[in-house]
Amino acid sequence: MLESTLTDLECTRCGKLYDTEQIQTHCPCGGPLYPRYDLETTGAAWDRGKGLAGRPQGFWRYADLLPIRKPENRLNLGEGGTPLLEAPRTAERVGVSRLLVKDEGLNPTGSFKARGLCAAVSKAKELGVTELAIPTAGNAGGAMAAYAARGGMNATVYMPSDTCVEFIDECRGLGAEVILVEGLITDAGAAMAKDGEERDFFTIATLKEPYRVEGKKTMGLELAEQLDWQLPDAIIYPTGGGTGLLGMWKAFAELETMGCIGSHRPRMISVQTEGCAPIVRAFHAGEEYAGMWENAETLASGLRVPAAFADREILMVLRESDGDAISVSDAELLEATYHIGADEGIYTAPESGATIAAVRKLVEEGRLDPSGTIVSFFTGSAYKYVSGMRQGVA
Ligand SMILES: Cc1ncc(COP(=O)(O)O)c(C=O)c1O
């Protein structure tokens, strides 16, 4: 059985170290905590990728680079191992030579959120937590409810009251208590914090606990392995709280230290919507932090995140990678979502459509080399957006 090589938790901003055997949240300085590993031992075991042969497929294939120590705490619903698909008709439609899509909608509960919540809930179980709470735009709540149920724990989900009914039903169907809050995910977070003064639950808000990012990291590990350790030229990622973007960036750094890849990095490109684009605005204004986006509104509910806790880290990755940030309108992303379905046979979430609408715009504006290998992250399936997409069409 693979052993985790987790050593410490380190604040990304001030470098302070924290004990991995205690329940941790984030650093008082405001920085997220990142798990650190014994990369020498892991690198030797991976042997530039050759050492992975014979390991199980999927998420737990990388268990030595994940934080859960005891195998019995590694919750499993079949997460990860999602396909990386060529999308030739979409490539032609948006004017690029090679477009690959990572179809994360095939994860348990239909989104990439399964990865982060699988890691965070498993680790919480390992540390003896029995009551969990989360503020969510929708997908993360369903994923947490599923893994909490799998681990025999209780889940409370705080969600904007106007979230598509499918998300609400899913959480209830997975045994969670759902608390609907007027407003946005930030208001849901505030309501959760207030309730937390009286209720004894552990909260798994994006990057305010250290392990969701580790689950998301597996997208980067998988992508590298699927591309035979040659990273693409650009990654197009629909950005809300940014854990996926940060997780992949962390994966690439660890893979380089382990000797699996060289120093080449993809351009990391964040996509948001015109109705909620705090990262895009801050990126182009040269800001270190992204301010709050007022009156956020978009059909792509996962991108309706007016303020990201790790805004500074997201902006750093975009800049370090010579990346970019772009917003698209709801009409553009919806049109792209329907085209993907008809062109490629993938019934994908509007957030995924946003990445394709973005590729088209970036190419048209001369901001993306159309001859490179471009990977777009299709972060969820459309099944939970049916009611919202109908309204968007009407
Ligand atoms: C389908 C989908 N895509 C993208 C995002 C944004 O992800 P992140 O918070 O990792 O930036 C979300 C978040 O809810 C989502 O549900």
Side-chain angles (χ1 to χ4, degrees), residues 24-49:
Q24 305 287 1
T25 53
H26 57 86
C27 189
C29 83
L33 302 184
Y34 270 9
R36 299 292 177 207
Y37 298 83
D38 173 357
L39 295 178
E40 207 174 310
T41 301
T42 319
W46 283 39
D47 189 15
R48 293 172 198 269

Side-chain angles (χ1 to χ4, degrees), residues 149-386:
R150 191 77 174 157
M153 302 148 92
N154 295 322
T156 308
V157 175
Y158 291 79
M159 218 187 262
S161 54
D162 61 354
T163 309
C164 291
V165 66
E166 294 88 339
F167 290 101
I168 300 168
D169 288 352
E170 176 188 53
C171 289
R172 291 193 175 130
L174 291 166
E177 180 187 354
V178 180
I179 297 182
L180 297 175
V181 179
E182 286 300 313
L184 303 170
I185 185 172
T186 34
D187 302 296
M192 181 186 71
K194 189 158 183 298
D195 285 0
E197 290 166 12
E198 281 162 25
R199 291 181 59 172
D200 188 21
F201 47 47
F202 179 64
T203 67
I204 315 197
T206 302
L207 289 155
K208 291 190 182 171
E209 69 79 50
Y211 299 109
R212 275 175 76 176
V213 71
E214 291 305 287
K216 295 279 185 74
K217 184 177 83 178
T218 61
M219 293 194 296
L221 303 176
E222 245 172 55
L223 180 67
E225 192 184 1
Q226 285 170 317
L227 290 173
D228 205 17
W229 314 106
Q230 302 291 319
L231 296 183
D233 298 299
I235 289 181
I236 320 291
Y237 173 75
T239 306
T243 359
L245 190 93
L246 297 177
M248 283 191 270
W249 197 245
K250 185 170 189 287
F252 301 151
E254 290 175 0
L255 287 174
E256 184 176 355
T257 308
M258 287 159 57
C260 293
I261 60 169
S263 58
H264 166 73
R265 292 288 182 278
R267 297 184 63 210
M268 303 296 281
I269 300 178
S270 271
V271 181
Q272 299 195 306
T273 68
E274 286 174 4
C276 182
I279 298 293
V280 179
R281 182 177 62 188
F283 178 79
H284 293 292
E287 303 286 351
E288 189 182 352
Y289 294 90
M292 177 84 161
W293 187 275
E294 298 299 332
N295 303 318
E297 187 54 70
T298 170
L299 172 75
S301 48
L303 304 184
R304 203 171 55 151
V305 180
F309 178 67
D311 50 354
R312 179 169 175 262
E313 286 70 21
I314 298 169
L315 290 162
M316 276 167 64
V317 169
L318 299 180
R319 292 186 177 123
E320 262 176 53
S321 71
D322 186 31
D324 206 337
I326 187 166
S327 58
V328 298
S329 70
D330 272 11
E332 287 167 329
L333 68 87
L334 199 57
E335 184 190 30
T337 306
Y338 283 117
H339 278 152
I340 294 160
D343 287 345
E344 309 293 350
I346 305 172
Y347 191 47
T348 198
E351 290 83 351
S352 318
T355 65
I356 298 304
V359 171
R360 180 200 286 273
K361 261 191 168 172
L362 288 163
V363 170
E364 279 170 5
E365 292 173 14
R367 292 158 66 181
L368 181 65
D369 177 2
S371 66
T373 297
I374 298 162
V375 173
S376 171
F377 271 80
F378 284 8
T379 42
S381 93
Y383 292 105
K384 287 185 268 177
Y385 296 77
V386 173

Side-chain angles (χ1 to χ4, degrees), residues 86-88 91-92 95-99 369-374:
E86 296 279 352
E92 197 182 335
V96 299
S97 23
R98 186 171 187 218
L99 178 71
D369 177 2
S371 66
T373 297
I374 298 162

Side-chain angles (χ1 to χ4, degrees), residues 11 55 72 102 130 136 196 200 241 306 313-314 336 358:
C11 174
R55 291 193 182 188
E72 63 268 30
K102 183 97 172 115
T130 55
T136 179
D200 188 21
E313 286 70 21
I314 298 169

Side-chain angles (χ1 to χ4, degrees), residues 14-161:
C14 73
K16 187 167 175 207
L17 295 179
Y18 290 83
D19 182 3
T20 59
E21 301 315 304
Q22 305 289 321
I23 296 170
Q24 305 287 1
T25 53
H26 57 86
C27 189
C29 83
L33 302 184
Y34 270 9
R36 299 292 177 207
Y37 298 83
D38 173 357
L39 295 178
E40 207 174 310
T41 301
T42 319
W46 283 39
D47 189 15
R48 293 172 198 269
K50 291 192 284 296
L52 296 175
R55 291 193 182 188
Q57 293 301 320
F59 187 88
W60 294 108
R61 177 178 183 77
Y62 310 115
D64 44 355
L65 213 49
L66 288 169
I68 297 89
R69 299 194 194 278
K70 292 198 180 134
E72 63 268 30
N73 294 323
R74 293 176 188 161
L75 301 171
N76 186 346
L77 286 168
E79 51 288 325
T82 58
L84 182 66
L85 303 167
E86 296 279 352
R89 290 185 202 84
T90 305
E92 197 182 335
R93 195 185 276 282
V94 297
V96 299
S97 23
R98 186 171 187 218
L99 178 71
L100 294 165
V101 301
K102 183 97 172 115
D103 189 7
E104 289 291 301
L106 295 176
N107 275 299
T109 68
S111 89
F112 74 140
K113 296 282 176 183
R115 296 180 187 266
L117 274 307
C118 176
V121 177
S122 294
K123 190 66 193 176
K125 180 175 163 61
E126 185 150 274
L127 295 172
V129 173
T130 55
E131 302 280 336
L132 293 164
I134 195 169
T136 179
N139 276 315
M144 189 189 82
Y147 286 98
R150 191 77 174 157
M153 302 148 92
N154 295 322
T156 308
V157 175
Y158 291 79
M159 218 187 262
S161 54

